[in-house]
Amino acid sequence: MEKINTLISRMTLEEKAALCTGASAWTTVGIDRLNIPSIFMVDGPHGVRRVKDEFDMSEKSRPATCFPTAACASATWNTDLIRQMGEAMAEEAHAFDVDILLGPGVNIKRTPLGGRNFEYYSEDPFLSGKMAVSLIKGIQSKGVGTSLKHFAANNQEYQRFSIDTIVDQRTLREIYLYAFEIAVKEAKPWAVMCAYNKINGDYCSEHHQLLVDILKDEWGFEGFVVSDWGAVHDRVKSLKGGLDLEMPGPQDRRVKAVVEAVKSGDLDIEILDEAVRRILRIVFKAQEVERNSSFDKEAHHALAREIASEGIVLLKNDGILPLKGETQIAVIGHSAVEPRYQGGGSSNINPIQLDIPLDEIKKHAGEERVTYAQGDTGKDIFDQSLIDEAVEVAKSADVALLFLALPASIESEGYDRENLHLTQQQILLVQAVSKVQPESVVILNTGSAVTMSGWIDEVKVVLQAWLMGQAGAGAIADILFGKINPSGKLAETFPIKLEDTPAYINFPGDAGEVRYGEGLYVGYRYYDAKKMPVQFPFGFGLSYTTFKYSNLQVADAFTDIEGLTISVDITNTGKAPGKEIVQVYVHDHEASLSRPIKALKGFAKVKLAPGETKTVSIPLDFRSFAFYHPDYKNWITEDGDFDILIGASSQDIRLQATTKMTSSLKPPCVLDSESTLREWIADPRGYAAIKPMMLEMQAMFNQEFDSDEGIGMDPMGMIMDMRLDSILMFQQHALPIPVDDIVDGFLREAHSM
Ligand code: BGC
């Protein structure tokens, strides 16, 4: 720190301004005079996209391991594995002289239409946050930085550079910021990348509340905030708003604007110095590590395969998997030969090697047992002849394996999907093939949920293989042939139809705004509240074995500060070794604000041999029970009962117990004479104070209501939403008790606490 402060004192104004805007597409400015090196940042979340030319934004990058995309990685629910993925990516970053990897992305999958959902983890902020923590810790443990992105509420591609996200503070905190908060506090990323969009009127790149008040001051973030590439509009305003580094560069006019703003007194030099300090801290941190120039390609490929095999989710299995030595196997689909294994855009990796599903199936089954038909073009194009050909191949086999991948023209960074179904060609293909071949297996390569009406009932198996990385083909084959027991579970709900989805009415917005009208009710929180059936729920996934849940241990009572550790026994009751993902949801019996029916607060993945039992312990902390109260501008807890729900999925709750929490954090009193009667009653202290008045009023109104006097309704119902001062005004004459004194006394006492 000393060294950095000395450097800052020796830097000219021009040097400081220059440091805060990139030197090239991927590098920061180095200052030779002061021995300040430049650092190199590259995308992205599932591999190292190192271009040769630092001024080129889109050239093909140097070959690197293409790991499974976040959509697949999160479905592993395996934090150890994700950490290993981070370590491996860091080794590759070393070899390419990269200092910071631009990822992970923890934006919430608000709707399955989101074009970039493949790059994000989940519809649930807790799961997203924990996945990000593992990846960041893995990468940073080897001295390579991460840049957590895109901060914040960047949940669609439509008008992504300008859209104004209109979202209430509670939803922002509990859903859209929470994964960032977990990752920032637990894993300390070196950088946070601000999003392109606006939130409630301000660009994220200039959003003081977001970047300074919340991220830096409240969460204690010590790294630098970098702009998404091209997200800065007004450089001076963005510095004031807390954005430290603008990318890409060079942008001379920006540097000049900053210099002039300091000279004219418009920009406080302290603000610029703070940005410089934050950047320099990371620049020098990046120099602390020894770099290896090589990495073990085979080991990384094997790791990519292992992650894919744990992230692939078996959604339906009417008894045919694992394959049992069928004599003839028909493989159908363009993507069996040209797999779709990652998404388009900035995260696109040039893979070191690419496994092909058809080849991997032949390796298991033997060349002679496998026939192939293309089935589709890999694009959204209808071609009946390909369907006819596939039907012929399927007919003469014992089983048909249909590889169906959403074309890149439908799903990518830069644009959202228009619907949730497969292409017309693919739907007709499945229908035609399954008509002649009852043993049909569908393997999906999509970055997010698809709907399945019109074909799911016709096929025996659905295997969700996501965009599964360069080694995913081998993982699919391992699962089909039973070499690996599937253990992935959905990190997002698969709805029955698009119209069911939470954001349906508000997406993608218009007139430059998208209103998050569904509030907290995103993903399973919405389907729970609506009691709406879904195709496959959040947290769901099948296995080749079965698991029994027993012996749930939950203390009867606890305090929010201590938290609570629960434990449960999981037994593998089937014949195959397997892994189970145990999920802990918390349900609040009663709260002063509406709350989703349940929320994920813990999980564990446990490996079990047949017959084996393990006890899983999962800690729950203050936040597992708290909610964000916009009046108190804080997370609060309230005394009361909570159910601890242990699920094999969000809709398959196997065990539950009720426990009583004592809140140690008494919320400050926000009642005053302008609060409504309902608000006074909701606060136990407020209620105690006005109770005498309430009883008097009740008695008086009852009399009126029961007689023929009055206005033919129960006035109690009407006055609940009136402000206390209005009620006092007209009740003073009628009530014989000194209400004013009671209320004044209460307020004096409450506010002096
Ligand atoms: C993307 C970021 C990416 C950056 C650099 C932007 O368009 O939104 O995710 O890190 O480009 O490639």
Side-chain angles (χ1 to χ4, degrees):
M1 201 56 200
E2 182 85 32
K3 170 182 168 189
I4 288 171
N5 284 338
T6 313
L7 272 177
I8 293 175
S9 69
R10 293 178 56 205
M11 286 170 83
T12 64
L13 173 59
E14 287 70 16
E15 284 168 340
K16 289 176 183 175
L19 186 73
C20 295
T21 294
S24 71
W26 306 108
T27 54
T28 58
V29 168
I31 303 173
D32 294 344
R33 182 180 81 81
L34 298 169
N35 289 328
I36 297 174
S38 146
I39 57 172
F40 211 114
M41 294 170 270
V42 305
D43 287 300
H46 55 265
V48 182
R49 191 168 74 87
R50 170 66 151 94
V51 291
K52 287 192 204 90
D53 176 358
E54 66 192 51
F55 288 93
D56 197 318
M57 296 279 285
S58 54
E59 71 168 341
K60 200 173 180 102
S61 52
R62 288 159 61 176
T65 307
C66 177
F67 287 95
T69 57
C72 180
S74 57
T76 67
W77 300 58
N78 187 334
T79 49
D80 290 342
L81 214 44
I82 304 306
R83 190 184 163 111
Q84 288 174 44
M85 170 172 160
E87 289 166 1
M89 276 169 36
E91 287 169 12
E92 300 195 16
H94 282 181
F96 295 137
D97 248 328
V98 164
D99 301 289
I100 293 183
L101 282 170
L102 302 175
V106 288
N107 296 96
I108 292 297
K109 301 188 201 208
R110 176 174 174 248
T111 161
L113 292 175
R116 229 173 159 176
N117 279 11
F118 71 89
E119 246 185 283
Y120 299 139
Y121 288 121
S122 176
E123 67 188 24
D124 180 83
F126 181 80
L127 181 58
S128 301
K130 292 295 175 185
M131 289 291 132
V133 166
S134 298
L135 193 80
I136 294 169
K137 282 190 172 169
I139 295 173
Q140 294 191 172
S141 69
K142 302 240 166 192
V144 174
T146 58
S147 180
L148 184 67
K149 65 191 188 182
H150 307 89
F151 194 54
N154 178 196
N155 310 98
Q156 65 186 53
E157 297 304 282
Y158 174 74
Q159 296 186 346
R160 71 167 172 149
F161 297 103
S162 57
I163 194 91
D164 190 3
T165 299
I166 307 298
V167 55
D168 67 83
Q169 292 300 311
R170 182 174 173 213
T171 301
L172 193 58
R173 293 293 192 138
E174 289 191 24
I175 303 291
Y176 296 100
L177 296 190
Y178 192 40
F180 287 99
E181 181 178 3
I182 293 174
V184 165
K185 288 183 174 169
E186 289 183 30
K188 303 193 184 325
W190 291 11
V192 168
M193 183 190 290
C194 81
Y196 286 126
N197 51 286
K198 296 178 192 158
I199 299 180
N200 297 330
D202 291 322
Y203 278 112
C204 290
S205 60
E206 300 169 355
H207 211 296
H208 193 275
Q209 182 209 7
L210 190 69
L211 304 183
V212 179
D213 300 346
I214 297 178
L215 175 66
K216 293 179 180 176
D217 292 352
E218 195 183 312
W219 298 349
F221 172 66
E222 289 178 348
F224 63 74
V225 177
V226 59
S227 69
D228 197 344
W229 268 227
V232 170
H233 299 265
D234 177 331
R235 186 63 188 107
V236 174
K237 210 167 162 194
S238 68
L239 269 166
K240 289 180 187 168
L243 184 122
D244 305 303
L245 174 64
E246 174 183 15
M247 289 300 290
Q251 303 205 47
D252 217 25
R253 68 198 167 102
R254 303 288 213 198
V255 178
K256 283 194 183 119
V258 172
V259 169
E260 271 154 31
V262 173
K263 282 186 177 157
S264 72
D266 177 30
L267 179 68
D268 191 340
I269 186 73
E270 275 302 312
I271 292 180
L272 182 61
D273 282 352
E274 174 61 11
V276 169
R277 190 173 295 118
R278 283 174 179 271
I279 296 168
L280 288 183
R281 251 193 327 242
I282 299 301
V283 165
F284 285 103
K285 201 178 174 81
Q287 315 309 315
E288 285 166 11
V289 66
E290 286 284 312
R291 280 154 199 275
N292 281 328
S293 55
S294 65
F295 57 90
D296 185 342
K297 296 188 182 85
E298 281 74 35
H300 290 189
H301 189 74
L303 177 62
R305 182 170 177 150
E306 190 182 348
I307 298 166
S309 70
E310 287 211 16
I312 292 172
V313 184
L314 181 59
L315 293 175
K316 175 175 179 177
N317 184 16
D318 280 355
I320 35 177
L321 289 193
L323 296 175
K324 299 162 198 75
E326 286 76 356
T327 33
Q328 274 304 318
I329 298 172
V331 174
I332 297 167
H334 177 268
S335 59
V337 173
E338 282 187 40
R340 183 147 183 269
Y341 59 98
Q342 65 171 333
S346 56
S347 67
N348 206 265
I349 300 298
N350 178 15
I352 293 178
Q353 119 184 32
L354 179 59
D355 291 350
I356 306 299
L358 183 60
D359 297 346
E360 297 300 318
I361 285 164
K362 285 180 179 168
K363 277 188 204 159
H364 279 271
E367 185 113 15
E368 63 296 342
R369 285 172 54 204
V370 180
T371 47
Y372 173 72
Q374 190 186 331
D376 70 319
T377 58
K379 299 198 168 78
D380 189 6
I381 294 172
F382 176 67
D383 185 335
Q384 183 64 42
S385 67
L386 292 178
I387 296 180
D388 296 343
E389 192 185 292
V391 165
E392 287 313 310
V393 170
K395 245 189 224 167
S396 52
D398 303 309
V399 61
L401 307 179
L402 289 124
F403 284 82
L404 304 175
L406 264 194
S409 61
I410 289 183
E411 170 185 59
S412 165
E413 177 180 347
Y415 41 89
D416 296 311
R417 285 156 72 189
E418 285 172 9
N419 55 58
L420 291 184
H421 36 82
L422 295 173
T423 66
Q424 183 202 19
Q425 172 79 7
Q426 290 169 332
I427 294 173
L428 293 174
L429 177 69
V430 185
Q431 288 170 340
V433 166
S434 58
K435 212 170 250 158
V436 299
Q437 177 50 269
E439 310 286 282
S440 287
V441 172
V442 166
I443 298 116
L444 292 171
N445 287 120
T446 67
S448 194
V450 289
T451 50
M452 303 180 185
S453 58
W455 59 266
I456 178 140
D457 294 337
E458 317 308 321
V459 300
K460 291 262 170 80
V461 172
V462 181
L463 190 64
Q464 175 61 38
W466 311 108
L467 308 183
M468 70 304 186
Q470 67 176 39
I476 293 173
D478 287 344
I479 289 175
L480 292 175
F481 290 91
K483 193 169 163 212
I484 296 272
N485 186 352
S487 64
K489 292 195 179 186
L490 295 179
E492 60 190 278
T493 306
F494 276 45
I496 293 174
K497 55 185 192 304
L498 175 61
E499 293 79 358
D500 292 349
T501 56
Y504 179 65
I505 290 175
N506 291 300
F507 179 86
D510 39 35
E513 275 184 12
V514 56
R515 206 163 277 278
Y516 285 16
E518 68 286 356
L520 302 168
Y521 296 89
V522 174
Y524 64 88
R525 289 165 168 80
Y526 178 79
Y527 301 107
D528 273 0
K530 298 275 286 189
K531 298 192 174 33
M532 189 185 279
V534 297
Q535 191 73 60
F536 296 109
F538 175 83
F540 175 80
L542 299 171
S543 164
Y544 295 152
T545 186
T546 46
F547 299 99
K548 191 181 96 197
Y549 288 59
S550 62
N551 194 24
L552 172 61
Q553 299 287 332
V554 177
D556 294 338
F558 67 104
T559 70
D560 57 353
I561 295 297
E562 294 161 3
L564 180 69
T565 295
I566 62 102
S567 72
V568 59
D569 290 353
I570 312 294
T571 307
N572 182 344
T573 45
K575 293 199 174 62
K579 292 183 180 174
E580 174 66 328
I581 297 162
V582 183
Q583 300 155 45
V584 183
Y585 298 88
V586 171
H587 163 72
D588 190 353
H589 281 212
E590 206 184 323
S592 58
L593 299 184
S594 64
R595 298 192 75 177
I597 291 175
K598 64 176 180 298
L600 181 78
K601 298 297 174 185
F603 61 88
K605 191 162 192 176
V606 48
K607 184 176 174 187
L608 294 164
E612 191 183 5
T613 299
K614 277 186 187 155
T615 302
V616 177
S617 292
I618 297 175
L620 299 171
D621 62 9
F622 174 85
R623 280 295 181 89
S624 309
F625 305 94
F627 57 96
Y628 187 83
H629 202 304
D631 288 345
Y632 309 133
K633 296 190 173 36
N634 210 344
W635 292 82
I636 65 151
T637 54
E638 292 173 337
D639 292 348
D641 289 345
F642 289 83
D643 290 338
I644 307 299
L645 312 169
I646 310 297
S649 86
S650 62
Q651 285 190 11
D652 182 8
I653 303 301
R654 300 287 182 87
L655 297 169
Q656 72 181 76
T658 304
T659 174
K660 192 175 277 309
M661 188 192 66
T662 307
S663 165
S664 48
L665 217 140
K666 297 292 173 230
C669 178
V670 292
L671 294 172
D672 58 26
S673 58
E674 294 196 1
S675 308
T676 64
L677 210 49
R678 197 184 298 283
E679 288 162 345
W680 276 82
I681 291 170
D683 184 319
R685 293 163 302 172
Y687 181 59
I690 62 165
K691 198 170 166 190
M693 176 189 99
M694 293 294 300
L695 294 176
E696 288 281 347
M697 282 165 61
Q698 183 85 55
M700 192 180 80
F701 287 146
N702 280 351
Q703 235 175 28
E704 276 179 17
F705 193 42
D706 291 341
S707 70
D708 278 344
E709 291 171 31
I711 51 173
M713 63 170 302
D714 181 2
M716 261 337 245
M718 193 170 75
I719 63 170
M720 291 301 273
D721 289 311
M722 286 175 75
R723 292 167 12 170
L724 191 67
D725 54 5
S726 336
I727 296 165
L728 295 182
M729 218 164 48
F730 75 84
Q731 284 304 326
Q732 261 163 7
H733 325 285
L735 290 177
I737 51 169
V739 173
D740 276 355
D741 295 351
I742 295 172
V743 171
D744 286 352
F746 167 75
L747 288 178
R748 255 198 317 280
E749 203 180 303
H751 289 289
S752 69
M753 279 193 305

